[in-house]
Structure formats: structure tokens, C-alpha cells
Amino acid sequence: MTIAGDEGAANTKRRTVRRELLAMLDGLDVGDALPSERRLAETLGVSRPTLRAAIDDLVADGLLDRRHGSGTYVAEPRIAVPLTMTSFTEDMIRRGMKPGGRVLSFRTASAGAKIGRRLSVSPVEEVFTIRRLRLADGASMAIETLYTPTELLPGLRKEDLEGSSFYDLLRGRGIVIASGTETIEPTVTTEEEAADLGVPVHTPAFLFERVTRDERGRPLEYVRSVYRGDRYRLEIDLRPPST
């Protein structure tokens, strides 16, 4: 009984410290440093283990960023990503953010076996391979590699994709996006991805792979996107099954 009582008191204290830390964050800006753990523990009148546990919770929630050997800082807010059939540009606009991007590479090459299977085309058929850095309010968000048959958008240029939505380009040519399949898995950034995103190598990230199709079921694109794990969280709209 004593142990259970002690655990309950510790949890109550931890929740209290969390609320006090959240109130403190209201007066800080992104990138601001928190006082040292020793100073915070003295100010809040709690033990350092209790303080550290509360900070761990806020780090897990994406509100704080603990940097080894440096301190704890106010983190960039994470953007909720709904699992819907929308483009990156549409997602950012809906959240009141300014979408942007930069084409890192743009080339034409044979699909090869893997991409050919994804797009249901011959391995020798030509496809555009487009690698883009996606931005929101000027901050890096994701690295996207897009593959699409050249016959789908003949004459497509690198400039057409600078700051534009690929889906808008398709719609502009009368191509209807009807369905898609997407998979999501945790990953870490490679050296190249980390350099493009401006984060440390092996930073936690989300890997999105999507194939979109037209009304006849023809694949229009295969996209492989690496989203920063410190800036994104997934949002799923759940509904009970119909009876």
C-alpha cells in the first residue's frame, strides 16, 4: 500500500511539474533554451529525477528538444499530417503555412525493374525522376523523389515544378487523380537526406511511399518521401465500422 501511495504521489507531482513547464513555454519562442535542470528543480521545488521525467514527456510530445551536451530547447511545432489524398502544397495551405520547394535534380531515364513495377510500365520506358526539397514557411520539411512516365506529361520542365503542385500540373492537363495507395514506416535520414534537410545524420524520420492512379487504375506517379520526424506527426480520422 505504501508503494502504491508513493507512486501515486510521484505521478501527481510529475503532472504538476508538466503543467508548470507548459506554462513556462508560453512565454518562450522556438529555439529558446530552458534554464538548467538544477536551476529548474530549485525553482519548482522538485527533485531532479521528477523534473527530468516531466521533461522527457515533453520531449516525446515534440514540445522540447534535448541536445546532448548543450541543453534543452523549445522545439519547432510538429505539423499534423492527415492520411488523405492531398498534395504537400495543399496540406500546407490548409494549415495556414506558405508551401515552397526547390528542385534538387530533374532527369529522364529508363524506369528499370523496380520503378517499372511501381508504375506498371516496361523497364525500358522513360520516366521523369524528380527530387525535391519541400518547405513550409521557409523551413525544410521533407525530401521527395517523384517518378512519373514521360508520356504522361510530355514537355515537362524543371521550372514547371519550382514552387508548384504536381497534382495541379496533372489537373491542368485534364488528368483525374482517382485513388492511391500509401505506406508509412519509421526510418532515419541518410547522409545525403540529412544534408538536404539540414539535420544530423540518422535523425528519426517517416518514410512515405505512394502510388496514385487515374480513373482507369493507371499509375500516375510513384513518390518516395522522407519527412522530418521532429516536425511531423501523423493524424488519422477514425470511424466505427458500418453495421
Side-chain angles (χ1 to χ4, degrees):
M1 293 297 293
T2 302
I3 294 176
D6 290 343
E7 289 180 351
N11 289 334
T12 298
K13 192 64 174 178
R14 181 170 167 178
R15 288 192 294 268
T16 300
V17 173
R18 175 187 170 90
R19 287 195 298 270
E20 292 176 339
L21 289 174
L22 287 173
M24 181 184 298
L25 295 185
D26 287 339
L28 299 175
D29 295 324
V30 170
D32 284 350
L34 266 64
S36 68
E37 287 189 1
R38 175 180 296 178
R39 181 178 169 189
L40 273 177
E42 292 174 352
T43 300
L44 299 177
V46 297
S47 67
R48 293 182 68 176
T50 297
L51 173 67
R52 193 170 294 118
I55 290 176
D56 287 344
D57 288 344
L58 296 180
V59 169
D61 290 343
L63 300 175
L64 292 177
D65 178 20
R66 181 183 279 120
R67 303 174 193 172
H68 183 68
S70 176
T72 303
Y73 299 82
V74 180
E76 290 273 1
R78 292 184 180 179
I79 298 171
V81 180
L83 303 183
T84 57
M85 198 66 187
T86 57
S87 69
F88 177 90
T89 298
E90 292 164 339
D91 279 341
M92 295 305 104
I93 291 175
R94 190 169 60 211
R95 283 161 179 73
M97 306 181 78
K98 182 180 179 181
R102 186 168 74 249
V103 177
L104 301 175
S105 63
F106 182 97
R107 63 187 179 88
T108 302
S110 299
K114 178 182 176 181
I115 304 303
R117 286 195 300 271
R118 299 280 191 175
L119 294 175
S120 297
V121 299
S122 166
V124 299
E125 183 167 335
E126 285 197 336
V127 300
F128 289 116
T129 301
I130 305 158
R131 195 164 183 269
R132 294 193 287 177
L133 173 65
R134 311 313 303 267
L135 308 170
D137 287 344
S140 66
M141 293 290 162
I143 295 293
E144 174 190 277
T145 305
L146 183 152
Y147 305 87
T148 188
T150 57
E151 68 170 11
L152 193 66
L153 294 169
L156 181 67
R157 303 170 303 161
K158 174 182 177 181
E159 293 76 17
D160 297 330
L161 289 161
E162 292 285 0
S164 299
S165 165
F166 179 69
Y167 286 5
D168 284 344
L169 291 177
L170 292 177
R171 295 184 188 109
R173 301 202 185 191
I175 300 171
V176 177
I177 302 166
S179 64
T181 303
E182 187 166 61
T183 62
I184 307 163
E185 61 182 274
T187 187
V188 293
T189 56
T190 64
E191 186 173 344
E192 182 180 23
E193 292 162 349
D196 289 333
L197 289 171
V199 299
V201 178
H202 299 155
T203 292
F206 292 111
L207 170 61
F208 288 69
E209 292 186 278
R210 175 188 290 189
V211 175
T212 59
R213 302 177 181 84
D214 64 12
E215 294 171 308
R216 295 179 296 165
R218 176 183 58 163
L220 302 173
E221 63 165 357
Y222 163 56
V223 183
R224 184 185 186 279
S225 302
V226 175
Y227 284 78
R228 287 177 54 173
D230 62 335
R231 294 302 312 276
Y232 274 82
R233 61 186 175 90
L234 301 178
E235 185 177 275
I236 305 173
D237 186 16
L238 300 176
R239 291 184 174 87
S242 56
T243 56

